[in-house]
């Protein structure tokens, strides 16, 4: 993603483009990194993250509500190997805790997740302030193994736990003029050291069209791997929108707001030409500065130089979501 570097404008951080020493053989890739001056920083960053992954896997433990849940949503399971917990919990984007992939796991222990409330407001008949406990009880928890594909070109396969956001939406009854849903993350400078930095405008805001938010695949998630979400993954409650680039999945949500206007989202505000509102995973539409045709699966043998996979249209969820975009020019509405 982009990092704003003050008067220098934008600079790209390729901390995802990193590799252990054992895979230097792929000279072309290494030369490319060398050419962009990224290799040194990338290697150091990978080494730091890998060390962290080995040491920091204190797991938050099970919540009764999360035990034994299985999915009943079509397309919410995959036969692909799930990413190791240590990778999924130590290679994160959560800019409130720093911009390096290793930062959230290191820094997010300061996040205070109890008590927690989520306000549902805007164009709804029944606005409400939910405690986390109320939210957990609102519907049966399911386990859904989803791919999550980051705009930076990497992906993971994670068993998320939660329920369809539509369950909550039905309870609050959107007004007839509600067309979009805005998701607002916590922005607490006391517990989130990078809130206040100029990387993004805070709070982190994401948005979906109402029909996207209602799609059964859109998951309000409280856990992963059968356990409570670790802080770095967006505890205590986050969104997972598996057919969109990862940044659409807002973490540590405190507000869900129904509107009649397309929400102004954090990454779109930072660089509108690079991050559109839709951000559907689409191998046919390149990011202005790199291809989106392939991806690296985090944790796979070979790191940066492991064989890349082809990125699938809508991240492989076309059967479940494709019809929502019939007639929409996906190049213009990227
Ligand atoms: N939510 C908040 N509040 N802050 C963030 O920086 N990063 C996004 C998204 N949600 C982000 C966020 C990005 S860029 C990605 S790729 C995913 O979270 C990463 O989720 P993961 O760490 O669980 O893989």
């Amino acid at each position: 993603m982009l990092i704003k570097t003050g008067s220098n404008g934008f600079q790209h951080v390729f901390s995802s483009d990193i590799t252990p020493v054992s895979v230097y053989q792929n000279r072309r890739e290494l030369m490319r990194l060398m050419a962009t001056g990224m290799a040194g920083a990338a290697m150091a960053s990978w080494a730091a993250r890998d060390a962290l992954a080995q040491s920091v896997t204190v797991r938050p433990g099970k919540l009764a509500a999360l035990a034994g849940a299985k999915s009943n949503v079509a397309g919410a399971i995959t036969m692909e190997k799930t990413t190791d917990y240590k990778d999924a919990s130590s290679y994160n984007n959560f800019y409130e805790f720093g911009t390096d992939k290793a930062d959230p796991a290191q820094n997010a222990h300061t996040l205070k997740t109890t008590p927690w409330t989520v306000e549902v407001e805007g164009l709804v008949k029944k606005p409400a302030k939910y405690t986390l406990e109320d939210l957990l009880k609102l519907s049966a928890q399911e386990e859904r193994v989803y791919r999550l594909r980051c705009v930076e070109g990497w992906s993971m396969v994670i068993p998320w736990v939660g329920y369809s956001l539509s369950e909550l939406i039905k309870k609050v009854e959107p007004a007839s003029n509600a067309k979009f849903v805005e998701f607002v993350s916590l922005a607490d400078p006391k517990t989130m050291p990078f809130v206040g930095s100029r990387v993004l405008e805070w709070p982190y805001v994401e948005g979906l069209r109402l029909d996207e938010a209602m799609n059964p695949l859109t998951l309000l998630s409280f856990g992963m791997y059968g356990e409570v979400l670790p802080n770095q993954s967006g505890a205590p409650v986050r969104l997972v929108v598996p057919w969109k680039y990862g940044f659409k999945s807002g973490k540590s949500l405190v507000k869900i707001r129904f509107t009649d206007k397309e929400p102004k989202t954090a990454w779109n505000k930072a660089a509108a030409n690079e991050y559109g509102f839709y951000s559907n995973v689409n191998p046919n539409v390149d990011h202005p500065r790199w291809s989106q045709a392939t991806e690296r699966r985090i944790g796979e043998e070979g790191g940066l130089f492991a064989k890349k996979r082809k990125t699938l249209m809508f991240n492989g969820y076309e059967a479940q979501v494709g019809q929502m975009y019939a007639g929409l020019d996906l190049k213009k509405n990227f």
Side-chain angles (χ1 to χ4, degrees):
M1 304 287 268
L2 285 171
I3 301 286
K4 235 179 197 165
T5 51
S7 55
N8 300 334
F10 290 111
Q11 185 191 316
H12 189 70
V13 177
F14 274 98
S15 45
S16 54
D17 280 351
I18 37 189
T19 186
V21 178
S22 58
V23 282
Y24 279 6
Q25 310 81 308
N26 188 333
R27 293 237 166 110
R28 270 177 56 209
E29 194 64 11
L30 186 59
M31 302 283 272
R32 187 185 68 74
L33 276 182
M34 292 289 195
T36 56
M38 296 291 180
M43 308 291 175
S45 173
W46 178 270
R49 189 204 71 86
D50 218 33
L52 186 74
Q54 304 307 325
S55 63
V56 185
T57 23
V58 183
R59 299 172 63 149
K62 288 197 195 299
L63 250 192
L66 305 185
K70 285 279 170 284
S71 175
N72 63 18
V73 169
I77 37 171
T78 162
M79 301 317 277
E80 287 179 284
K81 182 181 175 298
T82 53
T83 301
D84 283 351
Y85 183 90
K86 73 171 170 53
D87 290 312
S89 60
S90 64
Y91 191 90
N92 303 99
N93 276 332
F94 199 171
Y95 277 30
E96 288 86 335
F97 294 100
T99 54
D100 192 273
K101 299 288 178 278
D103 287 343
Q106 233 150 6
N107 300 333
H109 58 91
T110 53
L111 176 68
K112 195 169 161 280
T113 57
T114 47
W116 194 271
T117 54
V118 177
E119 268 184 84
V120 185
E121 57 180 41
L123 303 175
V124 283
K125 293 185 193 129
K126 296 182 176 164
K129 196 167 182 171
Y130 287 94
T131 64
L132 182 68
E133 292 70 26
D134 291 341
L135 271 187
L136 279 163
K137 283 186 287 196
L138 188 125
S139 186
Q141 306 281 336
E142 293 179 359
E143 183 174 79
R144 309 219 186 133
V145 183
Y146 282 160
R147 279 178 295 276
L148 196 65
R149 193 330 186 147
C150 182
V151 74
E152 296 164 318
W154 50 266
S155 60
M156 299 196 194
V157 177
I158 295 179
W160 301 101
V161 183
Y163 51 76
S164 291
L165 176 68
S166 61
E167 299 296 329
L168 171 63
I169 296 179
K170 281 186 260 171
K171 289 262 186 321
V172 296
E173 298 181 23
S176 57
N177 56 340
K179 299 278 180 294
F180 296 92
V181 191
E182 189 173 291
F183 302 91
V184 184
S185 297
L186 179 71
D188 175 16
K190 287 199 234 68
T191 55
M192 298 171 134
F194 275 67
V195 164
S197 75
R198 293 193 293 165
V199 180
L200 287 172
E201 226 177 82
W202 310 101
Y204 192 95
V205 172
E206 256 312 329
L208 295 173
R209 260 181 10 200
L210 183 57
D211 61 329
E212 296 176 324
M214 285 295 291
N215 186 286
L217 282 191
T218 303
L219 185 73
L220 193 62
S221 175
F222 305 90
M224 58 188 221
Y225 299 83
E227 300 182 9
V228 180
L229 283 173
N231 287 359
Q232 60 268 33
S233 298
V237 54
R238 67 171 288 172
L239 214 59
V240 188
V241 192
W243 71 97
K244 291 180 181 276
Y245 291 118
F247 65 91
K248 300 296 288 180
S249 297
K251 295 179 166 180
S252 304
L253 299 177
V254 289
K255 275 199 177 111
I256 299 178
R257 186 182 294 136
F258 291 73
T259 70
D260 53 359
K261 289 185 197 64
E262 195 178 279
K264 297 251 173 287
T265 62
W267 281 104
N268 186 252
K269 279 193 274 187
N273 63 325
E274 307 208 351
Y275 308 108
F277 175 76
Y278 281 92
S279 294
N280 291 319
V281 173
N282 189 340
N284 307 317
V285 176
D286 290 344
H287 182 279
R289 289 181 290 128
W290 61 85
S291 161
Q292 293 291 28
T294 59
E295 68 201 51
R296 250 172 354 103
R297 185 61 51 81
I298 296 301
E300 258 178 12
E301 195 71 18
L304 174 60
F305 302 137
K307 198 168 172 297
K308 288 192 173 178
R309 294 160 186 263
K310 281 201 166 134
T311 288
L312 302 173
M313 189 65 202
F314 296 115
N315 204 21
Y317 300 100
E318 187 164 14
Q320 291 82 13
V321 303
Q323 71 284 1
M324 289 193 291
Y325 308 102
L328 194 72
D329 182 340
L330 296 177
K331 285 211 160 75
K332 277 197 197 130
N333 298 283
F334 61 89

